[in-house]
C-alpha cells in the first residue's frame, strides 16, 4: 500500500484526485455522524470514522481527531464516576416508571385505540 500511495504522490493530477476522493468520503462519513447526533444512530462513531479517514491526508483532521479522542476519554472517565452512575441509573429508572405509567393510563382510558382514532375526547377536555 505504501508503494501505491508513493506512486500516486509523484503524479500531481492523481495526487489531487486522490486527496479529493479522500476528502469526499471523509466529509460524507463525518456529515453522516453529525446527522446521527440528532437522529438515531451511532453519531460519535461516524464522527470519529470520518475524522480518521480525513486524517490520512489532512493535518487539520489529525489534530481534530486527537481532540475528539481526548474528549471521548474525558467523557468515559465522567461516565465511570460512581456517583454519576447512581444518579443516571435512578433518573433512568424513574423515567421508565413514568413512561410505563403513562402507557398504562392511556391503555386504561382508551384500550388499544391509537390517539388519532379516538372518537370520545372527553378525557382530554
Amino acid at each position: 500500500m505504501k508503494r501505491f500511495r508513493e506512486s500516486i504522490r509523484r503524479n500531481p493530477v492523481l495526487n489531487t484526485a486522490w486527496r479529493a476522493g479522500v476528502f469526499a468520503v471523509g466529509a460524507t462519513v463525518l456529515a453522516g455522524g453529525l446527522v446521527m447526533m440528532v437522529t438515531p444512530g451511532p453519531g460519535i462513531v461516524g464522527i470519529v470514522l470520518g475524522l480518521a479517514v480525513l486524517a490520512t491526508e489532512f493535518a487539520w483532521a489529525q489534530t481534530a481527531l486527537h481532540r475528539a479522542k481526548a474528549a471521548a476519554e474525558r467523557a468515559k472517565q465522567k461516565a465511570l464516576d460512581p456517583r454519576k452512575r447512581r444518579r443516571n441509573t435512578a433518573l433512568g429508572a424513574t423515567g421508565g416508571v413514568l413512561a410505563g405509567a403513562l402507557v398504562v393510563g392511556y391503555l386504561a382510558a382508551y384500550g388499544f385505540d391509537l390517539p388519532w382514532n379516538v372518537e370520545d375526547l372527553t378525557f382530554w377536555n
Side-chain angles (χ1 to χ4, degrees):
M1 188 66 177
K2 223 175 194 186
R3 284 189 297 167
F4 172 72
R5 187 63 187 111
E6 287 302 319
S7 67
I8 288 178
R9 278 201 176 110
R10 278 187 240 122
N11 186 334
V13 174
L14 284 178
N15 189 38
T16 302
W18 178 267
R19 287 174 62 96
V22 167
F23 181 78
V25 170
T28 302
V29 174
L30 182 64
L34 291 173
V35 167
M36 285 188 280
M37 291 299 287
V38 294
T39 62
I44 297 293
V45 173
I47 291 171
V48 170
L49 283 176
L51 286 173
V53 169
L54 290 168
T56 62
E57 290 295 319
F58 303 102
W60 60 266
Q62 195 157 19
T63 303
L65 181 61
H66 289 303
R67 286 183 183 164
K69 284 181 181 179
E73 185 62 33
R74 286 191 307 271
K76 181 179 105 175
Q77 292 304 321
K78 277 186 178 180
L80 293 177
D81 182 22
R83 289 178 292 157
K84 292 187 180 184
R85 285 182 68 189
R86 280 192 298 272
R87 181 199 65 196
N88 291 343
T89 301
L91 287 174
T94 304
V97 168
L98 286 175
L102 287 172
V103 168
V104 168
Y106 180 84
L107 291 175
Y110 295 108
F112 287 102
D113 289 331
L114 296 174
W116 48 86
N117 291 336
V118 174
E119 294 177 11
D120 180 23
L121 298 176
T122 55
F123 178 77
W124 301 105
N125 292 332

